[in-house]
Amino acid sequence: MKEKKEEFLNTSFLYPEKKPTVVISRCLNFENTRYNGGIIKDEFVLKLIRFVKYITVCPEVDIGLSVPREPINIFNYGEDFRLIQEKTNLDLTEKMNIFCEKFLNSLNNIDGFLLKSKSPSCGVSGTVIYYEKDGKKSGYRGKGFFAMRVKEKFPYLPVEDEARLKNPDIKFHFLVRIFSFFELNETLKNMISIKQLLDFHQNYKYLLMAYNQKILRFLGNFLANYDNSKNIGEIKENYRVNFYKAFSKKMNPKSNINVIQHIYGHFKNRLNQKEKRHFLDLLGRYKKNEIPLILLIEILKNFAYRFENEYLIKQKYLNPFPSDLF
């Protein structure tokens, strides 16, 4: 009986023996590939690589530039973006375009990207882009050359840089998508009957509710009206596309409060008055942005374990990714 209970309490991930695959900038803890010969030491990347398979990339080195090297910059000429190394007067645009297409087309079963901030190749939002070659004071912040191509090729995948992931909300959203997309694709890959997808959808009910209730309802109706005559590949792709869309924007406090109240409803008649008062006080503090969401999730998870509620223990809202990562 004890062994069965232990097995029941350790169902946090559908595919614990497998890992998501993430493309990571090589200068983040791996190699000295920065333009100045340096390397970036990042604690989150060190944690992440324990839980994922990774593919490293340094677009600048991979197109043949040296380490160290003269800096390169992006210039916006109307609709045309050029990648130029001013010191040598080299236009590296075509070489970078060829590399991006070849590298990105070579990727299979990728779950996300973690790139170097502010880089002219990898920056996700903080890269300086100049309007003309000799007008450096006239610029704005945007994506690096490689990051632009990544977003075009993989519009629904999580793509972040290490600086943005210092923000807890962005990091939480990034991790949720990495592990949710991975588990979805593993489920679809190993699917032999619609029941597996139904079980997956049930486990993601509250997480989908927090992200996008409209898509949650659509996917629920889609599976409820499953037609055996339809091509299984078409069913898988329809579910995948809409699942990805559901996670296109971060959760907001209002939707989280709604989900928390739904989950709390499973326990409120089994808690004593002091426990209820304490939890509702914490919920009020969360509404005021005084405490993080993860604290409430951990308390709800504890209630699920305490009352051995298998349905809730399997809910990905309570176990969206390995807890050591946050």
Side-chain angles (χ1 to χ4, degrees):
M1 185 70 179
K2 182 179 179 182
E3 288 183 3
K4 187 174 181 181
K5 182 177 179 181
E6 287 300 317
E7 180 183 353
F8 165 64
L9 293 179
N10 284 281
T11 54
S12 59
F13 288 93
L14 296 177
Y15 298 93
E17 75 283 1
K18 298 181 180 179
K19 297 179 179 180
T21 300
V22 181
V23 176
I24 305 178
S25 286
R26 201 171 296 140
C27 64
L28 297 176
N29 296 96
F30 295 102
E31 295 180 24
N32 296 63
T33 56
R34 297 203 70 208
Y35 75 96
N36 60 2
I39 190 171
I40 301 297
K41 299 293 185 182
D42 187 271
E43 290 185 11
F44 175 69
V45 173
L46 288 175
K47 287 183 181 179
L48 182 67
I49 60 177
R50 292 166 46 209
F51 296 94
V52 302
K53 294 189 293 185
Y54 54 85
I55 298 169
T56 68
V57 64
C58 178
E60 295 170 33
V61 171
D62 291 340
I63 64 171
L65 297 180
S66 62
V67 180
R69 57 187 170 276
E70 296 295 337
I72 58 177
N73 291 304
I74 302 176
F75 293 89
N76 182 343
Y77 295 96
E79 296 182 358
D80 187 28
F81 290 89
R82 310 299 298 179
L83 190 65
I84 297 173
Q85 189 177 56
E86 293 178 275
K87 188 81 171 183
T88 61
N89 205 31
L90 277 177
D91 187 330
L92 300 164
T93 307
E94 299 310 320
K95 188 175 283 191
M96 183 63 77
N97 279 335
I98 291 170
F99 167 77
C100 291
E101 182 175 4
K102 184 177 180 181
F103 178 82
L104 296 177
N105 285 340
S106 73
L107 299 176
N108 293 306
N109 303 317
I110 295 299
D111 300 295
F113 293 77
L114 201 176
L115 304 175
K116 175 66 190 79
S117 63
K118 301 180 181 180
S119 161
S121 56
C122 291
V124 172
S125 64
T127 299
V128 178
I129 299 175
Y130 302 109
Y131 281 112
E132 56 183 61
K133 186 175 178 180
D134 298 319
K136 282 196 174 182
K137 291 183 180 179
S138 180
Y140 62 96
R141 298 282 178 175
K143 292 180 177 59
F145 219 88
F146 177 73
M148 289 186 210
R149 301 297 179 263
V150 169
K151 292 298 293 181
E152 290 169 3
K153 178 76 174 176
F154 302 100
Y156 293 121
L157 289 188
V159 182
E160 291 294 351
D161 61 45
E162 92 290 356
R164 281 174 51 85
L165 292 178
K166 305 298 183 189
N167 179 307
D169 290 339
I170 293 175
K171 180 166 72 171
F172 189 93
H173 182 52
F174 176 77
L175 290 170
V176 165
R177 295 168 81 198
I178 290 286
F179 286 89
S180 298
F181 294 174
F182 164 70
E183 289 198 10
L184 170 65
N185 288 315
E186 286 297 305
T187 298
L188 297 179
K189 184 170 67 176
N190 294 285
M191 182 175 154
I192 56 176
S193 75
I194 195 68
K195 184 182 183 303
Q196 289 162 282
L197 190 52
L198 287 166
D199 290 343
F200 174 90
H201 184 74
Q202 177 174 279
N203 292 344
Y204 274 85
K205 174 187 173 181
Y206 284 127
L207 191 58
L208 281 167
M209 184 186 292
Y211 270 95
N212 193 311
Q213 290 191 43
K214 183 178 179 180
I215 292 181
L216 169 65
R217 289 192 294 270
F218 170 81
L219 289 175
N221 291 331
F222 172 72
L223 293 176
N225 297 304
Y226 165 67
D227 185 350
N228 280 308
S229 65
K230 287 189 176 180
N231 180 282
I232 193 69
E234 181 182 340
I235 292 168
K236 289 180 179 181
E237 193 57 26
N238 199 336
Y239 190 93
R240 188 203 316 271
V241 168
N242 284 282
F243 188 86
Y244 279 15
K245 286 181 180 178
F247 293 86
S248 59
K249 295 181 180 179
K250 297 195 300 291
M251 295 183 292
N252 60 63
K254 184 178 179 181
S255 65
N256 275 314
I257 289 167
N258 176 51
V259 171
I260 289 167
Q261 289 173 333
H262 271 82
I263 297 176
Y264 173 69
H266 288 263
F267 309 119
K268 66 179 182 180
N269 293 330
R270 305 182 71 178
L271 300 173
N272 64 45
Q273 289 302 313
K274 289 182 179 180
E275 288 174 318
K276 290 179 183 178
R277 194 179 309 120
H278 176 60
F279 184 80
L280 293 175
D281 176 63
L282 291 175
L283 183 59
R285 292 179 63 192
Y286 171 70
K287 290 179 182 179
K288 297 176 184 177
N289 199 32
E290 294 177 356
I291 61 172
L293 172 66
I294 197 71
L295 176 59
L296 290 172
I297 288 177
E298 288 300 321
I299 292 175
L300 289 172
K301 191 190 303 183
N302 182 65
F303 289 157
Y305 286 153
R306 174 179 161 190
F307 297 115
E308 298 190 355
N309 189 314
E310 183 175 3
Y311 172 73
L312 290 178
I313 287 175
K314 290 182 178 180
Q315 285 298 315
K316 300 308 296 187
Y317 186 83
L318 300 183
N319 292 287
F321 48 78
S323 58
D324 287 353
L325 285 172
F326 199 82

